[in-house]
Every structure is written in structure tokens, then in C-alpha cells.
Amino acid sequence: MPKHNEVILRIWTARIRTEHEAEYSAYVARTGSDDLHNTPGNLGHQITLRTLDDGTSEIAALSWWTDMDAVRAFAGDEPHIARYYPEDDVWLLERPQHVEHHRVVHGFAAPAKERS
């Protein structure tokens, strides 16, 4: 169990067709990003893209949390299981079952902007 003052980094990755990067990124912004932003205990998130050399791209969702209880508020009782949205199957070439959780033990992040 993480110490009370440790931040948790949650990482989810999957692959999409490179030609769909813009559309899927916009979909993720409307679904997962909004849910991440609105879940108490979320300290911030980033959605990243990495173009691979085979016509596919890797998309990753990185989110920072106050503790595993906050992660459970977002992900449910089994936080190591990936959370998906209804139209994900339209875009995803794979649907990884698990996500990773890491305890952040050192580092720097820019101050969070005020949430609306």
C-alpha cells in the first residue's frame, strides 16, 4: 500500500492506425480526459501519441493520483483492469486488459492550473 504522501502514476497504452490519430485523440478528450479531470484525487493527466513505423501509432494515457483510493474512484474495484468506453473498439487495434500503476518517488511537475 502506498504511503499517504506518495503520488500514483497510472499508465495505459494501446495501438491505433496512424491515420486515425486526430479522430481518436478528439474522442479520448471527450471521454477519458473529461472523466480523469472530474475525478477527485486526480492530479493531472496527459494523452500522448507515438507514431510507429508500421502504419500504427501508440496512444498512452498517463494520469497522476493522490492515492490508490482515488484511482479506484476512477477505475473501479479492480484498478489494474483497463477502463474502456463504448466506441473504443472502433479505433483500437488491441485492447490491453491491464494498466500499470507506479509510485512516484522522485521528480518534478509544473504546478497544476486551477480547475474550473
Side-chain angles (χ1 to χ4, degrees), residues 14-16 18 21 48-53 56-60:
R15 285 185 320 111
I16 60 172
T18 300
E21 282 183 352
T48 66
L49 287 167
R50 179 171 69 117
T51 303
L52 306 174
D53 290 333
T56 68
S57 295
E58 180 183 67
I59 187 162

Side-chain angles (χ1 to χ4, degrees), residues 98-115:
H98 295 98
V99 299
E100 297 178 9
H101 294 102
H102 299 256
R103 291 175 291 120
V104 177
V105 296
H106 181 73
F108 172 80
K113 292 182 180 179
E114 187 174 317
R115 293 181 179 227

Side-chain angles (χ1 to χ4, degrees), residues 17-76:
R17 294 192 195 295
T18 300
E19 65 194 71
H20 296 150
E21 282 183 352
E23 295 90 349
Y24 188 65
S25 297
Y27 171 72
V28 169
R30 290 189 314 272
T31 57
S33 287
D34 284 350
D35 284 349
L36 287 165
H37 178 77
N38 292 318
T39 301
N42 178 259
L43 300 171
H45 71 279
Q46 294 176 313
I47 306 299
T48 66
L49 287 167
R50 179 171 69 117
T51 303
L52 306 174
D53 290 333
D54 62 357
T56 68
S57 295
E58 180 183 67
I59 187 162
L62 310 169
S63 56
W64 289 266
W65 301 88
T66 55
D67 54 39
M68 284 303 295
D69 288 337
V71 173
R72 283 183 195 88
F74 169 75

